[in-house]
Structures are given as structure tokens and as C-alpha cells.
Amino acid sequence: MAILSRLAEGHLTQGGDGRPAGMLLDGCYDAAEGLAERHELIWGDFFLALGLASLNGLVDPTRV
């Protein structure tokens, strides 16, 4: 729950800055190589959606 709260409160766009609300930013593809730092990445989107769906009882994370 704490991780989901931190992501939702600190890393989602709010809209109004030319980007739609709800984009999960600040993901990093390869920190060691400095590639795609602070970007929106599909893995982050997937795991945030899975966590929120699990929290709301929409999926069983042990069966995914």
C-alpha cells in the first residue's frame, strides 16, 4: 500500500502541463548505463495497474 501511495502521490502527472493526467513518470530502463532515466515505462504502468487492481479486489496477484 505504501509503495502504491508513493507512486500515485509523487510520480503521476497531474495534467495541465501538455501531458494527460495519470502518466507514471520517473522510471529508469538502465541506471548503470544512464539509459531512459526518469521516463514513462510500460513496466511501471503495468505493475502500478496490477497493484491498484489487486488493492481493489479486481485481480488475485497470486494468479497473474
Side-chain angles (χ1 to χ4, degrees):
M1 175 84 171
I3 292 172
L4 295 175
S5 293
R6 178 69 177 127
L7 289 173
E9 293 170 8
H11 297 281
L12 292 179
T13 57
Q14 301 300 308
D17 61 354
R19 296 184 289 198
M23 292 175 64
L24 178 61
L25 301 180
D26 303 326
C28 182
Y29 178 74
D30 188 342
E33 295 294 324
L35 295 174
E37 296 175 325
R38 303 198 68 199
H39 287 337
E40 180 185 29
L41 301 171
I42 189 67
W43 307 289
D45 294 341
F46 171 80
F47 286 109
L48 176 59
L50 178 62
L52 292 172
S54 175
L55 184 66
N56 287 287
L58 300 173
V59 298
D60 178 356
T62 65
R63 298 184 53 95
V64 177

